[in-house]
Amino acid sequence: MVTTPLLELPSEIASLRSIALDLRWTWSHEGDALWGYIDEKLWERTLNPWTVLMGASRERLKQLAADELFLAKLKAFEDARNAYLTTPGWFHTAGHDKKIGGIAYLSMEFGLGAALPIYAGGLGILAGDVLKSASDLDVPVIGIGLLYQEGYFRQLIDSRGMQLETYPYNEPAAMPVEPVILPESGWLRIGLELPGRVVQLRVWKTTVGRVTLYLLDANDATNSPLDRGITAKLYGGGPELRLMQEIVLGVGGWRVVEALHPDVEILHVNEGHAAFAIIERARQLALKSNLDFWEALWATRAGNLFTTHTPVAAGFDRFPAELLRKYLPYVEGALHGRGVKLEDVLALGRADPSNEDEPFNMAFLAERGSGITIGVSRLHGEVSRRIFQPLFPRWPSCEVPIGYVTNGIHIPTWDSAGSDRLWNKIYGKGRWRTPTGKTAEPVSTEIVSDEDLWAMRGEGRQRLVHYARGHLGRQLREGGFDLEHVKRADTVLDPNVLTLGFARRFTEYKRPNLLLRDKERFDALLHNTAFPVQIVVAGKAHPADNVGKEMIQSWIQLAREPRYRRHVVFLEDYDISLAQEMVQGVDVWINTPRRPWEACGTSGMKVLVNGGINCSTLDGWWDEAYTPDTGWSIGDGSGGAAEDVDARDIQSLYEVLEQKVIPEFYDRDSHGLPRPWLQRIRASMGHLTPEFSGARMMTDYVEKAYLPLAKSVRERMKDHYTEAKAMNQWSRNLHSRWDSLHVGTPVASQTDGAAHVVVPVYLGEVDPSSIRVEMFADNTAEHAPEVIMLHQEHAIPGSTNGFIFAGAIASQRPLEDFTVRVVPYHANAYLPAELPLIAWQK
């Protein structure tokens, strides 16, 4: 049995154990100094305090216990940590703590630091920043994820410049995790029913400031070898293994919530991978409270939030129907006699609920099972409304109930030490532990001089050059290159030259080779002796993405050419620590996704706090962030055939670099300072850093989703679920009777400048109080959509349940733009999310 080993420390430094197991050190510059003092080389190599402590000899620990300088550093760090943990944060001081019992945030991956490699890319990095931001604002969040034995692959570049994948073993004893030990039963294990057996899931925890992240793994000795491999690789294996992983995350994850935090009221599903938690939450409530499944779903759905990160429908996880029938029969069996059949549950994951052969879509389950669904940027919200349109047949796409909370990044994780000192002068310590983004303004010259600002940028660029040389030297040495090649790494890049950065997953839609499509022009940029340019590149391709691997090879081959090796550097194995070095040092962050395929993208946000400037296509977050004084846009966001868009964007990218970026960077005054460039840095830092911070993101989640959902779920659950039962019956009645209603022909007249509309509506068996009759006009290039409610006037003589509805249309739009429709109505329902019925007059 592998557990966190006992670490014997002298009493004077015993607190190092709890400090090392609290990932708050991942966003503490003081923590970097503390661990480096113990063993500088091991700390720089591993960035893992637990490994540093485990690697320290007894003699070294005794030395530290008697070292007054170290003890002073330790006490300062302890005092700061204790103050952080004990001082009430924004959530409590704002009085929200009585309004929410707790939030469970489930994600397939979490990127918190190099010491815990259980992430693949942007989704995990975002999830890690969510937990850190929740800790800073004192929001009662717990995280639920998986502890992978191998995680995602580590990248090696071979002699041909091709990517190779390795999967080093994640030894729990070497990671900052601990088993969850219960006083009465020992190590907590969660039983999970899979076909013909019960798999035991071990529960671990790691501390993230005020937040706890629980991690499940199936590598228990009582499980079969096959089952122990369920949590081996992140996103590994075929559909069946992937389905088992998502059952572990969703079903097992919610069982952890029930076992350890039964007060949780909000389930936050981060992407569709965790959507089975929605079913499990309803199932468990049905069993505990003697409800049928659908009553329980109506009760719990109001407490579920789904964040979708996918910009294309093809990106959703889908599973063959027969696989679901194999793995989910326990739902029907456990709820025998409680109004549920497995096929009805599976219908929640289909666009056409009646098509039993349609693959099961995890995102559809997540949307149908959540009171609120949000995208991750304004543009992505628009795209998602089109993607989820099949779940809302005949509803206008502008009314598909998908909102958005634009992602943000946890600023203290990504700022440099120099940037941190500068922001301390502007706002003081603790600035990112309060809501931000409301009063952004440029960085004032009265607080930070141009000289100090430019010195901070030079320090970051110099550090990046030093880091890149060391990283490249190790990369070449471990790749088998001779000593002469390795030594050349010490001469790459120039700390005084305009430095571009490009790092992300290498895949076709991100167009990482856009710069290389005009090599002659690129060569001219790199070798302009008066205004030189250099670029640092990093990124991985999915193991199965051969096109992405070839793109990586193109950059590697260019960087290895003698003519370019000083100007172009590709750094292998892009991860959190490499990303931190890059975003703290580059002058300009290049981003070239093909619009609108980047849901949000947060890499460019990370340069803001460090004085870097963005140059990007108008996609994801940059579509709402860009202004001419804060950065540059590539292209104008217009569409067309891919080859045409690419041709326009190549031309635009080079024009921006040649005519705007490079001249402005090298426009120096008599003091050697680029004043216009510094003015742009001030605008970018001051306006955009707070707006795209994790604190702003978490505040939005609280105000736009968590608080409204908590209020709704409490209303549905009080008085033994009276409201939920009534809403379930209301829904059933409307479903069964909807086809009996129809809308007659409206009659319009003009009075006092307004159109008056009268329309007969025959409701059949539908209760008039359960619907609304409206006039609707869709959005156009000139007009926003309009909805005008018509009022019930009187019964139609001689009819059965027929009524006249009437209203005035005071609109600048022509009357023919409007159509009469009937929609469900319930004061406490999320509509049309929970009941997407609609009937049109025509």
Side-chain angles (χ1 to χ4, degrees), residues 625-677:
Y626 166 72
T627 60
D629 62 330
T630 55
W632 300 277
S633 68
I634 301 169
D636 59 6
S638 58
E643 57 269 22
D644 296 334
V645 173
D646 289 356
R648 293 198 305 266
D649 286 352
I650 292 168
Q651 181 68 18
S652 173
L653 173 57
Y654 274 103
E655 286 179 355
V656 167
L657 291 173
E658 294 164 346
Q659 300 173 20
K660 298 179 181 180
V661 175
I662 297 171
E664 189 172 296
F665 181 86
Y666 287 106
D667 180 11
R668 310 296 171 89
D669 66 7
S670 59
H671 297 282
L673 296 177
R675 303 289 181 177
W677 186 273

Side-chain angles (χ1 to χ4, degrees), residues 9-20 30 33-35 37-38 64-65 67-82:
L9 295 171
S11 59
E12 295 87 348
I13 58 173
S15 61
L16 283 173
R17 186 182 193 280
S18 61
I19 291 174
E30 294 80 6
L34 189 71
W35 306 118
Y37 193 95
I38 299 173
L64 292 170
D67 187 327
E68 292 185 4
L69 178 58
F70 180 76
L71 293 177
K73 290 178 181 287
L74 177 58
K75 185 177 187 307
F77 191 87
E78 281 183 287
D79 290 346
R81 178 171 177 254
N82 290 336

Side-chain angles (χ1 to χ4, degrees), residues 523-524 527 558 560-567:
D523 182 275
H527 293 96
L558 183 76
R560 288 178 179 174
E561 291 184 30
R563 179 170 173 78
Y564 297 103
R565 67 174 183 80
R566 291 178 180 268
H567 310 280

Side-chain angles (χ1 to χ4, degrees), residues 658-726:
E658 294 164 346
Q659 300 173 20
K660 298 179 181 180
V661 175
I662 297 171
E664 189 172 296
F665 181 86
Y666 287 106
D667 180 11
R668 310 296 171 89
D669 66 7
S670 59
H671 297 282
L673 296 177
R675 303 289 181 177
W677 186 273
L678 289 167
Q679 189 61 34
R680 189 179 297 276
I681 289 177
R682 292 182 186 278
S684 173
M685 289 183 76
H687 285 298
L688 300 184
T689 305
E691 184 179 351
F692 294 96
S693 70
R696 188 276 309 153
M697 171 183 64
M698 183 52 59
T699 305
D700 281 355
Y701 273 135
V702 170
E703 296 176 347
K704 295 182 179 181
Y706 295 159
L707 289 177
L709 287 170
K711 182 179 179 181
S712 295
V713 77
R714 288 183 178 186
E715 184 67 27
R716 294 190 189 186
M717 290 193 175
K718 71 180 184 182
D719 300 328
H720 196 65
Y721 314 100
T722 299
E723 180 75 356
K725 293 175 182 177

